[in-house]
Amino acid sequence: MDKAWSSQLKKGLVELCVLAALQEGEAYGYQLLQRLALESLLATTESTLYPILSRLADEKLVAVRQAPSPSGPPRRYYRLTAQGREHLRQLSAYWGQLGSAVNKLLADGVPEKCND
Amino acid sequence: MTNKLPVAVQSRVDAHLDAVEKQLQAAGADRATRRNIVDDLETQIVDMLGSLEAPTPTVADIDEVLGRLDPPQAYANESAWPSDRVLRVERGIVYEPRLCRQAKQGAWCIGLGILAPLLLVFGLKSPPARHVISWLESSLQEGSPPPLWSVVLVGALVITAAVAAVALPIAGTLLGWIATERIRRSAGTQYGLGLAVGEALLYPILLVWFVTYTIDRQIEQVLYGTTYLSGPGGRQLIPSKLLWLFWTTLLSIGLVCWLRWSTSPKRGASSRPKQQNGPSSLLAPSNQ
């Protein structure tokens, strides 16, 4: 039950986290999974991440570069595009506002006028 | 591909990737998307195998790695794919509905399936074909034998057109059914439902008409001793013919309505929702 509501809550944030994780520099899929897993609350799985990466690439928010790998098939490296950076900025700003609003609600309760 | 892996290990990797791709396909992901996801996943599997520090990965190693991954079914998770599409629609990004590929292919099959018998009929009426047919009908005895090329040509025409006349309607019907399902699941990213429904039902309806018409003729023969087509009174309309027309038309309309209703996309899935104040991905609909 706990897992269900927390994953629902996190679901909409995955895209923001992925774009933010790419700020560090380009990374291939598995590397990104590991970056996100460094913060245990942000850990996600490949069945969530890879479709999102594919969609972000479709939407030109990330660019893809294929490079040979020493251990197997070529790796697909993702990096933020200018459009992706702008999108991340918007998401980040909105997340700030949303977080503030929710925190305010949790701290102060519903504003007086709404109780009338 | 991971050509350095032992065969048994590689076959397990391939089986897992195939299963993931099938789930993605069933979920409506296009080929490029499926390929990208599977490539990323393959890289991950190889990296995970590499991290085990075994000189040569064994079957036990790959089983252990695959056991740590999401099952293929996770890629068809209804909560992942449709909501991704809905988010695209909400943000107004890259939302270009396209005609369902299966509906397009089905239309070709149906069209060619109609042309094939016509080609056969007109082809057999051509002078070289008539020559071949009359020669065959006389048990190869009368007249001069037709040139070999015309025999080959007529034979190829008959075989091709006959196979096409049978196979293409079946293929078109199947593609129509597949297309209706794909369009229904596409949450508005694919269109062509009317075309798909038409393909799915055209030949089944024709078949129903043919069967009921044949039964009807037999009934008329028993009841009246004649039929609409062969009656001595000319083109009189026998009452059972009206009944046949009524029931088959009703059945056809019912089938079309049922299929159209049962396969229509969920309401609102394909419409553009109201613009939100902020990026909506932070508030993904939880019930998608």
Side-chain angles (χ1 to χ4, degrees):
Chain A
M1 195 63 183
D2 282 3
K3 201 176 174 185
W5 70 256
S6 64
S7 65
Q8 283 296 332
L9 203 57
K10 279 159 52 179
K11 198 166 91 177
L13 294 172
V14 178
E15 181 175 323
L16 171 61
C17 295
V18 170
L19 292 172
L22 282 173
Q23 282 186 117
E24 284 183 34
E26 69 171 10
Y28 62 93
Y30 185 44
Q31 245 180 336
L32 264 179
L33 274 178
Q34 291 172 317
R35 270 186 202 174
L36 291 170
L38 290 175
E39 183 57 64
S40 61
L41 279 175
L42 301 181
T44 187
T45 63
E46 66 280 357
S47 70
T48 301
L49 178 67
Y50 297 156
I52 287 176
L53 282 175
S54 183
R55 177 166 57 78
L56 292 174
D58 272 356
E59 294 171 0
K60 311 262 187 271
L61 298 177
V62 298
V64 187
R65 175 179 70 89
Q66 196 155 299
S69 153
S71 58
R75 288 171 177 162
R76 292 162 48 79
Y77 285 87
Y78 297 89
R79 69 172 188 282
L80 280 177
T81 60
Q83 204 179 331
R85 284 185 194 285
E86 174 58 21
H87 186 59
L88 173 61
R89 195 191 59 72
Q90 287 175 8
L91 283 178
S92 177
Y94 186 67
W95 167 242
Q97 292 167 12
L98 190 66
S100 300
V102 172
N103 286 335
K104 192 165 184 300
L105 183 67
L106 289 173
D108 306 339
V110 181
E112 279 294 313
K113 60 181 177 184
C114 295
N115 285 329
D116 294 341
Chain B
M1 295 298 286
T2 52
N3 50 10
K4 292 176 185 169
L5 296 176
V7 176
V9 173
Q10 182 67 61
S11 67
R12 272 177 158 72
V13 173
D14 289 343
H16 184 80
L17 297 176
D18 285 348
V20 167
E21 183 161 11
K22 276 181 189 160
Q23 292 291 339
L24 291 168
Q25 190 172 15
D30 60 49
R31 187 178 299 180
T33 302
R34 296 198 306 265
R35 199 63 255 160
N36 294 342
I37 292 170
V38 166
D39 284 350
D40 283 342
L41 183 57
E42 189 180 12
T43 305
Q44 176 177 352
I45 292 172
V46 172
D47 272 21
M48 288 171 82
L49 280 172
S51 70
L52 296 177
E53 294 178 358
T56 308
T58 62
V59 170
D61 291 334
I62 186 63
D63 285 348
E64 197 248 314
V65 164
L66 294 179
R68 280 155 51 194
L69 297 175
D70 283 339
Q73 293 79 3
Y75 290 82
N77 187 350
E78 283 294 321
S79 67
W81 285 104
S83 64
D84 276 355
R85 295 195 190 101
V86 169
L87 290 178
R88 276 199 209 190
V89 174
E90 283 182 348
R91 293 203 306 247
I93 298 171
V94 199
Y95 178 56
E96 293 170 3
R98 60 180 176 81
L99 179 61
C100 177
R101 196 185 308 142
Q102 285 75 20
K104 212 182 326 181
Q105 291 165 346
W108 275 104
C109 286
I110 297 283
L112 292 173
I114 292 169
L115 279 180
L118 297 177
L119 180 71
L120 186 64
V121 170
F122 287 113
L124 291 178
K125 285 186 175 176
S126 65
R130 284 183 161 183
H131 188 181
V132 173
I133 291 166
S134 65
W135 184 63
L136 290 173
E137 281 175 348
S138 68
S139 305
L140 321 178
Q141 299 297 317
E142 294 174 9
S144 59
L148 182 62
W149 67 264
S150 66
V151 177
V152 172
L153 194 68
V154 171
L157 172 75
V158 169
I159 292 169
T160 307
V163 169
V166 174
L168 288 174
I170 294 172
T173 304
L174 289 176
L175 284 167
W177 284 98
I178 292 169
T180 51
E181 181 60 20
R182 288 274 168 90
I183 294 166
R184 191 181 70 82
R185 296 184 63 158
S186 73
T189 59
Q190 295 186 33
Y191 64 91
L193 188 61
L195 179 65
V197 169
E199 292 162 9
L201 290 181
L202 177 65
Y203 280 97
I205 287 173
L206 286 178
L207 190 67
V208 168
W209 275 352
F210 178 75
V211 170
T212 51
Y213 178 76
T214 307
I215 294 170
D216 180 74
R217 287 197 72 181
Q218 296 302 317
I219 292 171
E220 284 175 352
Q221 195 68 48
V222 171
L223 291 179
Y224 305 102
T226 184
T227 67
Y228 174 76
L229 293 176
S230 60
R235 295 263 168 193
Q236 78 272 28
L237 202 61
I238 294 174
S240 69
K241 194 68 68 186
L242 282 175
L243 277 177
W244 167 78
L245 197 65
F246 174 75
W247 284 115
T248 50
T249 305
L250 198 66
L251 182 66
S252 306
I253 292 171
L255 269 173
V256 171
C257 290
W258 168 76
L259 193 65
R260 183 69 180 83
W261 173 79
S262 66
T263 58
S264 59
K266 286 178 186 173
R267 190 167 44 179
S270 61
S271 60
R272 200 174 285 263
K274 290 175 186 172
Q275 187 67 38
Q276 308 236 344
N277 288 332
S280 57
S281 65
L282 295 176
L283 294 171
S286 61
N287 58 347
Q288 293 300 317

